[in-house]
């Protein structure tokens, strides 16, 4: 996925995102481990990258690893040499663990043991100049799927990213970012923006980005006569209307309240 970390914060307009950004800014100034929860596609990895880039560790490495790969490294041997190597690679920077709650139980125990060795292993000490800070993400209910000791070790700062349906005010700025990525000055009608704001977005920001990319591919180029160089012709800018957003399903008339949800489905 393309790095959208600066734009993630720049696009935050919804009231629901204000505490998220405030907490992320505070986290960026510290070296404490962070657990970011939220539905798939909500922007957890983008927020993790932003926290890294906005703090004193920005000059250090940013290493991302999946829970499956980390689990293999942790269970490779009693000494967990491979896992130590992962932390050493991220020394002075940030180690992002994707979908931490999917880490097998045995591997969770090994990770706890590894983190408990931080006093003897500089690469495991986030507060030291040679240590790696951990930012973990998960779309699941972390308290239900993580060992308690691992949860409290990682969730020193816990940030919950709300789904896109709860932050419709972010959609215009997100759309503007996605249009700019296409390399052309595309336009979108007010009716199309209203259609996007009323959608369910089960795939969240990732689904919105795909919808914009698809809409541009299907859009009217704004003129009837073909041109020799459509990419560099300003009159040939694509226009996105509701017709190009047919694949975006509107929210039901009586949409359930998801604000209390703490389990994040696949």
């Amino acid at each position: 996925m393309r790095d959208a970390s600066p734009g993630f914060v720049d696009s935050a307009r919804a009231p629901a995102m204000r505490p998220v950004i405030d907490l992320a800014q505070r986290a960026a100034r510290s070296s404490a481990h962070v657990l970011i929860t939220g539905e798939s596609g909500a922007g957890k990895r983008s927020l993790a990258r932003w926290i890294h880039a906005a703090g004193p560790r920005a000059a250090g490495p940013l290493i991302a690893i999946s829970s499956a790969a980390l689990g293999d490294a942790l269970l490779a041997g009693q000494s967990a040499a491979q896992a130590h190597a992962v932390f050493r690679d991220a020394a002075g920077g940030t180690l992002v663990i994707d979908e931490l709650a999917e880490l097998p139980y045995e591997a969770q125990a090994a990770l706890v043991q590894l983190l408990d060795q931080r006093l003897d292993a500089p690469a495991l000490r986030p507060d030291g100049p040679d240590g790696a800070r951990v930012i973990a993400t998960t779309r699941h209910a972390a308290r239900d799927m993580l060992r308690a000791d691992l949860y409290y070790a990682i969730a020193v700062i816990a940030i919950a990213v709300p789904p896109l349906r709860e932050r419709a005010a972010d959609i215009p700025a997100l759309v503007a970012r996605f249009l700019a990525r296409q390399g052309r000055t595309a336009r979108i009608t007010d009716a199309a923006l209203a259609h996007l704001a009323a959608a369910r977005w089960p795939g969240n920001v990732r689904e919105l980005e795909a919808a914009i990319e698809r809409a541009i591919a299907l859009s009217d180029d704004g003129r009837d006569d073909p041109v020799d160089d459509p990419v560099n012709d300003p009159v040939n800018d694509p226009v996105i209307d509701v017709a190009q957003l047919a694949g975006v399903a509107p929210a039901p008339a009586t949409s359930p309240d998801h604000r209390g949800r703490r389990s994040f489905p696949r």
Side-chain angles (χ1 to χ4, degrees):
M1 185 176 179
R2 286 164 290 198
D3 188 355
S5 47
F8 182 86
V9 173
D10 295 342
S11 302
R13 303 286 189 275
M17 287 298 292
R18 290 173 188 161
V20 174
I21 300 306
D22 178 68
L23 195 53
Q25 290 172 335
R26 294 170 184 266
R29 294 194 293 266
S30 79
S31 290
H33 297 323
V34 180
L35 179 65
I36 303 176
T37 58
E39 294 182 6
S40 180
K44 300 184 296 297
R45 279 176 289 181
S46 292
L47 184 59
R49 290 192 293 266
W50 185 88
I51 292 173
H52 170 80
R57 292 175 174 269
L62 176 63
I63 305 296
I65 188 171
S66 68
S67 59
L70 180 60
D72 291 342
L74 288 166
L75 299 176
Q78 292 184 349
S79 64
Q82 294 184 27
H84 270 281
V86 171
F87 278 85
R88 284 196 300 271
D89 288 344
T94 303
L95 175 65
V96 177
I97 305 174
D98 192 32
E99 294 301 340
L100 179 67
E102 296 182 2
L103 194 66
Y105 190 83
E106 296 80 3
Q108 290 186 29
L111 180 57
V112 171
Q113 293 178 355
L114 189 65
L115 293 174
D116 283 345
Q117 299 172 18
R118 60 187 179 276
L119 295 179
D120 301 320
L124 304 179
R125 297 178 58 186
D127 55 338
D130 298 323
R133 187 240 199 112
V134 174
I135 301 180
T137 72
T138 181
R139 64 178 180 269
H140 301 289
R143 285 181 180 268
D144 296 336
M145 299 184 67
L146 290 176
R147 290 171 51 106
D149 48 5
L150 179 57
Y151 175 83
Y152 291 115
I154 298 296
V156 179
I157 299 176
I159 304 176
V161 180
L164 187 57
R165 61 179 170 272
E166 294 180 8
R167 38 194 259 242
D170 290 353
I171 289 179
L174 287 168
V175 169
R177 273 180 48 218
F178 299 150
L179 291 177
R181 283 181 180 172
Q182 301 302 313
R184 298 167 68 185
T185 310
R187 293 175 289 144
I188 184 167
T189 66
D190 291 342
L193 276 176
H195 183 78
L196 294 175
R200 291 192 299 258
W201 301 117
N204 293 290
V205 179
R206 187 179 296 119
E207 182 186 0
L208 174 62
E209 182 175 10
I212 295 301
E213 188 172 351
R214 179 175 62 250
I216 289 178
L218 300 177
S219 65
D220 181 359
D221 64 7
R223 61 185 296 163
D224 296 327
D225 56 316
V227 294
D228 294 331
D229 187 8
V231 173
N232 296 316
D233 185 347
V235 184
N236 203 44
D237 295 336
V239 179
I240 299 174
D241 203 349
V242 176
Q244 286 80 44
L245 300 172
V248 177
T254 55
S255 179
D257 186 354
H258 298 274
R259 286 172 293 182
R261 175 180 290 176
R262 289 295 178 268
S263 179
F264 306 104
R266 293 178 180 272

